[in-house]
């Protein structure tokens, strides 16, 4: 078992990992930028090392500085959290060369799943359905036009090196195609240094359903059910829930089996998430995320499984203590991402928090590194808290979330709490009758 883990991250996920370390009796090392000197994760860890100035490139993405901190503190493993270096297979390779365990999947898993086109390629050989579209990268307008005509508009252009929505362009008809191709290629180049893009049929009334999997190094693979992440604005998830209101028991069986099958095909190790698009009784593989995700708590609340602890134990070579038959699902859980942003424009709103009162009571979980007088910095993403609720069923969970949002007092900066309150009062949301168009249609955003 590891003696000391360095957390190469900040904010709420750094606290989450430090807490798991403490409960496992493992020492923790925080790394921080100079502007994060007063951050909670620095206070909570057993040791802390400053790795550079505010901008992420010079600190949380600074591989030499992070590895030097690991060497200096004699950490025997690094947990990357999500974002930053969490899916950087070169970083995983360098950790291995430095004889430091990278807590996550293998470098090969990340490399293969990181390229969304090769991921689809690999899974196409299986019987896992994937969206109709191009088998290869689209290099020219003519190629794009012929694939689009074959599958029918609307289509969506996606970056092969991307994921999570960056650089995606929806094309309604052929006369928009040429400009959209150039836009998608430019955004892919800017976002990922790789302008390779591919085309898929755009499913207009679909749900974003993802399956959590745990795989140890001995070939044991189990799933922890699904999460519904359909409520997104510009590909940023806002609210996630488990289980999905949309999935029938029969479809759940098919989707979770497909997820395990996908993990077997790629010989996946550690914790991961397979994303599907669901329309009616049909489901399609979209992409595989090779990291712990922001929304992992809703799965933890309905299964009682500590996913971060499982990650650490698997990386330390432990055999999964859980079998599929041990996994049961209890009640309903929902997570609202609380962002420091303007309620109407959604623009980030950095500044100093003057009041921070978080909700409490039965079935409430707040994951946050914010506090009274905390400064929300412009260098990092705007999420300042995750408010998670758990209750016996979805209607109770909605009521509990509404009550908790009312109690959540954050002053000194703008937040999207009012937006979440509006969302939870919307009839379509309350009846569970929503799809990927919900935000645009019902929240006129
Ligand atoms: C799609 C899609 C429909 N058809 N791909 C991919 C990344 C994720 N952030 C959103 N993704 C989607 N990919 C095809 N071929 C629908 C989504 C999607 C979505 C799209 C627009 C607006 C909101 C959305 C919410 C969830 C999923």
């Amino acid at each position: 078992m590891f003696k000391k883990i360095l957390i190469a991250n900040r904010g709420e996920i750094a606290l989450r990992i430090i807490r798991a370390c403490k409960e496992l009796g493992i020492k923790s090392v925080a790394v921080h930028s100079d502007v994060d000197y007063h951050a909670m994760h620095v206070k909570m860890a057993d040791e802390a090392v400053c790795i550079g100035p505010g901008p992420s490139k010079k600190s949380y993405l600074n591989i030499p500085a992070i590895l030097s901190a690991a060497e200096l503190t004699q950490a025997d493993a690094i947990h990357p959290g999500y974002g930053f270096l969490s899916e950087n297979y070169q970083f995983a390779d360098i950790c291995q060369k430095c004889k430091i365990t990278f807590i996550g999947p293998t470098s090969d898993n990340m490399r293969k799943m990181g390229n969304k086109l090769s991921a689809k390629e690999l899974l196409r050989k299986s019987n896992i359905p994937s969206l109709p579209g191009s088998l290869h990268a689209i290099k020219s307008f003519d190629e794009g036009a012929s694939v689009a005509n074959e599958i029918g508009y609307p289509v969506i252009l996606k970056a092969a090196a991307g994921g999570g929505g960056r650089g995606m362009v929806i094309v309604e008809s052929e006369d928009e195609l040429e400009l959209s191709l150039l836009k998608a290629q430019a955004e892919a180049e800017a976002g990922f240094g790789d302008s390779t893009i591919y085309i898929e049929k755009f499913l207009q009334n679909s749900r974003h359903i993802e399956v959590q999997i745990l795989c140890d190094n001995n070939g044991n693979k189990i799933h922890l059910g699904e999460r519904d992440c359909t409520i997104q604005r510009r590909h940023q998830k806002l609210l996630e829930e488990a289980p999905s209101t949309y999935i029938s028991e029969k479809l759940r069986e098919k989707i979770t089996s497909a997820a395990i099958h996908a993990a077997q095909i790629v010989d996946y190790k550690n914790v991961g998430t397979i994303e599907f698009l669901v329309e009616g009784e049909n489901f399609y593989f979209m992409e595989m995320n090779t990291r712990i995700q922001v929304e992992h708590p809703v799965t933890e609340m309905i299964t009682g499984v500590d996913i971060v602890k499982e990650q650490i134990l698997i990386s330390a070579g432990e055999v999964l203590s859980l079998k599929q038959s041990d996994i049961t699902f209890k009640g309903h859980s929902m997570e609202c991402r609380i962002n420091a942003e303007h309620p109407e424009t959604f623009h980030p709103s950095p500044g100093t928090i003057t009041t921070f009162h978080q909700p409490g009571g039965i079935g409430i979980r707040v994951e946050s590194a914010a506090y009274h007088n905390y400064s929300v910095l412009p260098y990092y993403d705007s999420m300042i808290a995750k408010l998670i609720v758990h209750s016996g069923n979805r209607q109770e969970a909605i009521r509990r979330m509404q009550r908790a949002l009312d109690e959540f007092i954050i002053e000194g900066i703008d937040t999207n709490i009012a937006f979440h309150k509006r969302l939870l009062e919307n009839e379509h949301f309350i009846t569970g009758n929503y799809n990927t168009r919900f935000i645009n249609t019902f929240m006129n955003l």
Side-chain angles (χ1 to χ4, degrees):
M1 182 41 77
F2 306 125
K3 290 188 182 52
K4 194 183 280 189
I5 292 176
L6 181 146
I7 294 93
N9 215 303
R10 64 182 300 281
E12 65 88 14
I13 192 62
L15 301 193
R16 173 76 185 83
I17 297 162
I18 292 169
R19 288 169 173 149
C21 290
K22 284 181 189 285
E23 291 185 13
L24 290 170
I26 300 171
K27 292 284 181 207
S28 53
V29 179
V31 290
H32 65 91
S33 57
D34 54 10
V35 291
D36 263 345
Y37 182 79
H38 297 287
M40 188 85 95
H41 72 290
V42 175
K43 299 180 191 324
M44 200 183 271
D46 296 298
E47 292 175 74
V49 181
C50 181
I51 48 173
S56 301
K57 279 201 177 359
K58 297 190 171 135
S59 45
Y60 297 103
L61 292 170
N62 181 341
I63 293 178
I66 290 169
L67 285 165
S68 304
E71 206 174 330
L72 195 70
T73 56
Q74 293 174 318
D76 33 24
I78 291 180
H79 196 308
Y82 51 65
F84 294 128
L85 298 167
S86 62
E87 298 191 293
N88 183 319
Y89 69 86
Q90 291 105 329
F91 179 57
D93 282 336
I94 295 170
C95 289
Q96 196 170 33
K97 288 198 180 75
C98 297
K99 302 214 179 347
I100 295 173
T101 302
F102 175 86
I103 295 177
T106 65
S107 161
D108 196 46
N109 290 155
M110 291 195 280
R111 186 173 48 76
K112 283 186 184 146
M113 293 301 107
N115 181 310
K116 304 308 167 192
L117 208 43
S118 67
K120 279 165 69 102
E121 208 69 34
L122 196 62
L123 293 176
R124 196 181 312 284
K125 293 177 194 123
S126 70
N127 60 359
I128 299 168
S130 72
L131 287 146
S134 59
L135 301 178
H136 309 294
I138 296 294
K139 296 252 184 308
S140 70
F141 169 75
D142 292 345
E143 245 185 293
S146 71
V147 171
N149 288 327
E150 196 186 312
I151 60 180
Y153 288 92
V155 298
I156 184 169
L157 306 175
K158 295 185 171 182
R166 277 200 60 175
M168 287 186 188
V169 182
I170 297 169
V171 187
E172 300 289 348
S173 62
E174 180 159 311
D175 55 19
E176 294 174 12
L177 183 62
E178 185 154 22
L179 211 55
S180 302
L181 275 169
L182 294 172
K183 185 165 175 275
Q185 282 164 336
E187 283 186 20
E189 183 60 43
F192 315 105
D194 175 350
S195 64
T196 310
I197 53 143
Y198 61 99
I199 283 192
E200 285 179 346
K201 175 76 185 152
F202 182 68
L203 298 188
Q204 299 187 67
N205 300 313
S206 53
R207 305 279 283 236
H208 176 126
I209 306 292
E210 57 187 35
V211 177
Q212 181 73 63
I213 56 168
L214 299 183
C215 308
D216 67 13
N217 302 320
N218 301 59
N220 302 305
K221 296 179 169 57
I222 65 172
H223 71 80
L224 298 180
E226 85 279 354
R227 293 187 287 264
D228 191 326
C229 306
T230 304
I231 306 288
Q232 302 184 19
R233 178 178 178 273
R234 295 193 185 166
H235 300 297
Q236 290 302 318
K237 295 171 181 173
L238 288 167
L239 178 146
E240 305 99 341
E241 59 181 311
S244 168
T245 59
Y246 189 73
I247 297 287
S248 64
E249 209 37 57
K250 191 158 65 74
L251 192 52
R252 176 170 288 115
E253 181 50 43
K254 282 190 197 169
I255 286 185
T256 52
S257 308
I260 294 291
H261 186 197
Q264 283 158 345
I265 292 168
V266 305
D267 188 22
Y268 196 75
K269 298 287 189 306
N270 211 280
V271 156
T273 298
I274 291 111
E275 289 187 355
F276 298 95
L277 273 179
V278 177
E279 194 174 54
E281 287 299 303
N282 300 316
F283 65 96
Y284 307 89
F285 169 78
M286 200 159 44
E287 56 186 90
M288 183 169 190
N289 298 324
T290 57
R291 66 179 188 275
I292 186 81
Q293 296 202 210
V294 172
E295 61 268 30
H296 76 272
V298 297
T299 300
E300 294 187 321
M301 301 305 277
I302 64 169
T303 60
V305 175
D306 182 324
I307 298 173
V308 172
K309 273 189 191 171
E310 293 301 329
Q311 265 192 305
I312 295 170
L313 296 171
I314 289 169
S315 285
E318 300 280 321
V319 175
L320 267 183
S321 59
L322 295 161
K323 296 184 302 305
Q324 193 63 61
S325 54
D326 297 327
I327 306 301
T328 56
F329 304 98
K330 188 171 177 302
H332 197 98
S333 182
M334 227 167 244
E335 174 184 83
C336 283
R337 297 190 189 198
I338 309 299
N339 299 330
E341 59 192 19
H342 190 275
E344 268 84 49
T345 65
F346 285 77
H347 290 155
S349 139
T352 302
I353 290 176
T354 52
T355 310
F356 190 80
H357 174 79
Q358 59 186 57
I362 180 166
I364 303 285
R365 172 176 169 181
V366 176
E367 298 280 354
S368 177
Y371 50 83
H372 174 71
N373 277 341
Y374 173 73
S375 294
V376 180
L377 301 165
Y379 303 105
Y380 313 115
D381 81 29
S382 64
M383 188 175 79
I384 51 170
K386 296 176 337 193
L387 172 52
I388 301 116
V389 303
H390 178 253
S391 195
N393 59 50
R394 187 170 189 269
Q395 293 319 316
E396 286 177 12
I398 290 177
R399 292 301 306 271
R400 183 158 282 169
M401 183 63 88
Q402 287 171 324
R403 189 270 294 169
L405 284 166
D406 270 344
E407 273 182 52
F408 212 157
I409 311 298
I410 302 176
E411 292 170 343
I413 56 165
D414 287 326
T415 72
N416 64 345
I417 288 176
F419 165 82
H420 281 299
K421 287 180 180 174
R422 230 164 19 102
L423 167 58
L424 287 157
E425 284 159 6
N426 179 283
E427 265 321 296
H428 292 264
F429 178 77
I430 289 171
T431 56
N433 167 23
Y434 60 86
N435 62 37
T436 52
R437 288 151 49 126
F438 175 82
I439 289 288
N440 294 338
T441 317
F442 299 107
M443 306 300 281
N444 45 61
L445 292 169

